[in-house]
Amino acid sequence: MSAVDLTQSFLGAVFSGQLEEALALTAPEARFISVSPRDNAANPLHGTFVGPEGAKAFFGGFGALLEPGEFTVEAAFGDDHHAALYGQFRHTVRATGKPFASDWALITRVEGGKLTLYHFYEDSDALTRART
């Protein structure tokens, strides 16, 4: 399975509420990063989350902060070990009810048929504005 196919399978499982199926595609050493690998008190999604338990925390934090909305993949490309995807999303901040819309990009790495890196990029300033 190519890195693009595995990444799309992972995202499909996450967005359909089948987190255990997504975690089965995750290596024990996998790193999940949203924008910045460093913790940031102003953005609970920043930091580095490791392994399947880290993925649970990462996506659990997403669900606590945001009501999922539209998520569009405009393009996906890569090879056996790396994938790049990009598109747009529009979620809602649960605490404020405000929309959080952004272009996004995702870089993944796959080794041994498992996801080892999930680095998601979005407009963090747009999230900050939607949280106030």
Side-chain angles (χ1 to χ4, degrees):
M1 179 182 301
S2 75
V4 170
D5 291 339
L6 189 135
T7 300
Q8 290 177 321
S9 293
F10 179 88
L11 288 174
V14 167
F15 284 118
S16 66
Q18 298 172 332
L19 189 56
E20 292 303 317
E21 185 177 312
L23 296 178
L25 299 173
T26 303
E29 71 280 7
R31 292 180 299 129
F32 290 81
I33 302 167
S34 179
V35 182
S36 174
R38 291 173 299 285
D39 291 342
N40 176 354
N43 186 329
L45 299 181
H46 286 182
T48 300
F49 302 79
V50 179
E53 289 303 313
K56 281 184 187 178
F58 179 83
F59 289 106
F62 171 89
L65 182 65
L66 301 169
E67 175 68 35
E70 181 181 323
F71 186 87
T72 304
V73 177
E74 191 170 319
F77 54 93
D79 57 26
D80 289 341
H81 298 287
H82 299 92
L85 293 80
Y86 63 91
Q88 299 80 37
F89 67 72
R90 183 178 178 88
H91 303 310
T92 302
V93 174
R94 291 186 189 277
T96 64
K98 293 181 182 177
F100 168 37
S102 178
D103 290 331
W104 62 267
L106 172 63
I107 303 297
T108 63
R109 183 175 58 237
V110 171
E111 295 174 15
K114 301 278 186 171
L115 195 64
T116 61
L117 175 68
Y118 179 103
H119 197 150
F120 194 83
Y121 299 87
E122 64 192 18
D123 183 351
S124 295
D125 287 337
L127 177 57
T128 299
R129 289 189 303 275
R131 291 182 66 208
T132 58

